[in-house]
Amino acid sequence: MSSTASFELSRIRETLLLMASLAARHLRVALQALTERNDSLADLVEKQDSEIDSLEVKVDDLVITYIATHSPVAIDCRFVLVASKISSDLERIGDQAVTIARLARRLNAAPPLKLVFDIPRMALVAEEMYRGAIDCFIEAKAKEAIGIVKRDKEVDALNKKLSENLLQAMREQPGSIPQATCLLLISRAIERIADHAKNIAEEVFYLYRARDIRHRGWAESGRPTP
Amino acid sequence: MSSTASFELSRIRETLLLMASLAARHLRVALQALTERNDSLADLVEKQDSEIDSLEVKVDDLVITYIATHSPVAIDCRFVLVASKISSDLERIGDQAVTIARLARRLNAAPPLKLVFDIPRMALVAEEMYRGAIDCFIEAKAKEAIGIVKRDKEVDALNKKLSENLLQAMREQPGSIPQATCLLLISRAIERIADHAKNIAEEVFYLYRARDIRHRGWAESGRPTP
């Protein structure tokens, strides 16, 4: 591979890393806006989302330039294809952080709920999942990627538990319905983030393993069952 | 463009069309399994999902072969990149049809609910959205793609209304909770299908318009707000 080609692949990798760290930061700040009832932090997340959007465009730009310039071999084609798919997932993680920030602002305008719901724990698992997925991508760890796919069920279970608790709270304290609805939507946003992390892990598995293992791989690792 | 290159691009297009029509059929059959309380139809959807999975692998295979064989110009690179992203969305639509089929089987084992919930109407909108998105892809209609992005709110509103009705039913008839929970999950699966249709429409818009319009385009057409 020419040194230009290798340099361009590194740029794609670095841009994805930057996107991943921005999305991680936005999620953390959005959750801080929620726990600290801080509107300025929520504004920050919403304002800076365009940075992630621009990086998504940049990744696809780099990918297209790379393909058009170098006649890449199959493994490099797979790499740039997966890079582009991962950047879509990261962009959507950023969008979910914006959703959380907006809901936090809506919650901040209402009296605080007496009840405590474990949103931060769920967010922590989702964040670990997608940081892990990015790590698998960078470090070429296909086996570990399956572990991340499996963790999605953990977040689904936390979301289910949280939703049940919130529904119960609504029944027992009808006054809490507006806030509980916001928390339900936040829980769903975090569950979506975990889904995107799972997508990234699946894409990494496809990248580094023989392609015909792809769907069999998911079946072995436990396809989501209703 | 050489006739081989043009032939290969047509194959990618045709494979996507086949995936789209299979996913549409699976969704219809899964809903039929639900409305007609027919387990065999649910089995059929689950059994045939691997066909869509294989086609997803095939699309990426065709894309990689195309890139590696022809040094494509930018517009063709964008086309194959978007084709690969769309195939991921179609594969996930197929997965949601399997989820619906499994839940239908679970519902068929329980006594039928007296209450009627408008799942078919929501499914119809979701199906129209993703058929429309595929049509925009094939026919190069960027403007119409924005219309599809906007329709996602319609499905979100139907899902919200349905969920509220189901929660009310659970409160009023606690005996209906198991069935109502299945219907809640089915409603969510359909809402996800509409999300994937929206993703496809966004990808089509990116493909046919100048890239810098991409995220501005979404903002103008109404980004999802919580």
Side-chain angles (χ1 to χ4, degrees):
Chain A
M1 187 189 290
S2 76
S3 61
T4 324
S6 154
F7 173 76
E8 286 175 12
L9 287 180
S10 302
R11 274 192 73 197
I12 293 173
R13 211 179 263 111
E14 282 155 17
T15 312
L16 278 176
L17 271 181
L18 178 57
M19 278 186 88
S21 83
L22 281 177
R25 194 177 74 196
H26 287 191
L27 175 60
R28 260 199 316 278
V29 175
L31 289 164
Q32 215 180 331
L34 178 72
T35 51
E36 300 178 5
R37 298 178 66 81
N38 184 333
D39 277 3
S40 318
L41 291 177
D43 295 344
L44 204 68
V45 172
E46 199 167 351
K47 210 174 139 194
Q48 294 189 346
D49 182 52
S50 60
E51 207 176 330
I52 299 181
D53 292 350
S54 309
L55 287 170
E56 186 196 7
V57 172
K58 188 177 167 190
V59 168
D60 280 349
D61 204 20
L62 289 169
V63 164
I64 287 168
T65 307
Y66 182 80
I67 297 172
T69 317
H70 302 287
S71 308
V73 293
I75 174 71
D76 294 331
C77 289
R78 230 165 40 230
F79 175 85
V80 294
L81 209 64
V82 163
S84 166
K85 289 186 187 189
I86 290 177
S87 89
S88 300
D89 282 305
L90 290 172
E91 191 270 329
R92 284 175 182 133
I93 288 174
D95 282 352
Q96 296 299 333
V98 171
T99 296
I100 294 170
R102 286 179 182 164
L103 288 162
R105 209 159 39 203
R106 213 197 281 177
L107 272 171
N108 296 348
L113 265 194
K114 286 277 152 53
L115 304 150
V116 176
F117 297 99
D118 209 355
I119 296 270
R121 188 171 146 226
M122 200 178 151
L124 189 72
V125 180
E127 202 182 329
E128 275 175 13
M129 278 177 67
Y130 90 77
R131 279 178 176 280
I134 292 294
D135 188 54
C136 290
F137 172 67
I138 301 296
E139 306 283 341
K141 297 176 186 162
K143 205 180 151 196
E144 283 83 347
I146 294 180
I148 289 164
V149 171
K150 285 180 183 167
R151 285 201 82 183
D152 190 43
K153 286 189 177 168
E154 216 177 300
V155 177
D156 284 347
L158 285 169
N159 179 43
K160 193 169 169 246
K161 184 79 198 139
L162 195 63
S163 303
E164 282 166 5
N165 291 347
L166 285 165
L167 290 177
Q168 200 184 338
M170 289 188 209
R171 252 177 260 127
E172 290 167 4
Q173 304 179 21
S176 73
I177 288 178
Q179 295 96 314
T181 307
C182 284
L183 289 170
L184 260 179
L185 292 172
I186 288 173
S187 178
R188 199 183 81 155
I190 296 170
E191 192 249 338
R192 290 268 166 116
I193 289 171
D195 273 351
H196 287 296
K198 192 186 109 191
N199 291 351
I200 294 172
E202 288 181 344
E203 283 145 10
V204 169
F205 186 84
Y206 161 71
L207 170 62
Y208 294 117
R209 288 280 163 103
R211 69 191 56 220
D212 57 290
I213 302 172
R214 175 153 56 157
H215 285 289
R216 203 149 30 92
W218 313 147
E220 277 162 10
S221 67
R223 209 170 238 281
T225 46
Chain B
M1 186 189 292
S2 77
S3 60
T4 325
S6 154
F7 174 75
E8 286 173 14
L9 287 181
S10 301
R11 275 192 71 198
I12 294 173
R13 210 178 262 115
E14 283 155 16
T15 313
L16 278 177
L17 270 183
L18 178 57
M19 280 186 86
S21 83
L22 281 176
R25 195 177 74 197
H26 287 192
L27 176 60
R28 258 199 316 278
V29 175
L31 289 165
Q32 215 180 330
L34 178 73
T35 50
E36 300 178 6
R37 297 177 67 82
N38 184 331
D39 277 3
S40 319
L41 292 178
D43 294 345
L44 203 70
V45 172
E46 198 166 352
K47 211 175 139 192
Q48 294 188 346
D49 182 52
S50 60
E51 208 177 328
I52 298 181
D53 292 350
S54 309
L55 288 171
E56 185 196 8
V57 172
K58 190 177 166 190
V59 168
D60 280 349
D61 205 18
L62 288 169
V63 165
I64 287 168
T65 307
Y66 182 80
I67 298 171
T69 318
H70 302 287
S71 308
V73 292
I75 174 70
D76 294 330
C77 289
R78 231 168 36 232
F79 175 86
V80 294
L81 208 66
V82 162
S84 168
K85 288 186 187 188
I86 290 177
S87 89
S88 299
D89 282 305
L90 289 172
E91 191 270 329
R92 284 176 183 132
I93 288 174
D95 282 352
Q96 296 298 335
V98 170
T99 296
I100 294 170
R102 286 179 182 162
L103 288 162
R105 209 158 41 204
R106 212 197 279 177
L107 272 172
N108 296 347
L113 266 195
K114 288 276 154 54
L115 303 152
V116 175
F117 296 100
D118 209 356
I119 296 269
R121 188 171 146 225
M122 200 179 151
L124 188 73
V125 180
E127 203 183 328
E128 275 175 11
M129 278 176 68
Y130 89 79
R131 280 179 175 279
I134 292 294
D135 187 54
C136 289
F137 173 67
I138 301 297
E139 307 283 340
K141 299 175 186 162
K143 203 180 154 195
E144 283 84 346
I146 294 180
I148 289 163
V149 170
K150 284 181 183 166
R151 284 201 81 182
D152 190 44
K153 286 190 176 167
E154 215 177 302
V155 176
D156 284 347
L158 286 169
N159 179 44
K160 193 168 170 248
K161 184 78 198 143
L162 195 63
S163 303
E164 281 166 4
N165 290 348
L166 285 165
L167 291 177
Q168 198 184 338
M170 289 188 208
R171 251 177 260 128
E172 289 167 4
Q173 305 178 20
S176 74
I177 287 178
Q179 294 98 312
T181 308
C182 283
L183 289 170
L184 260 179
L185 292 172
I186 289 173
S187 177
R188 202 182 77 156
I190 296 169
E191 190 250 337
R192 289 266 168 119
I193 289 171
D195 273 351
H196 287 295
K198 191 185 110 189
N199 291 350
I200 294 172
E202 288 181 343
E203 283 145 11
V204 168
F205 186 84
Y206 162 70
L207 170 61
Y208 295 117
R209 288 281 163 104
R211 68 193 55 223
D212 57 290
I213 303 174
R214 177 153 55 156
H215 285 288
R216 201 144 36 90
W218 313 148
E220 278 162 10
S221 67
R223 212 169 236 281
T225 45

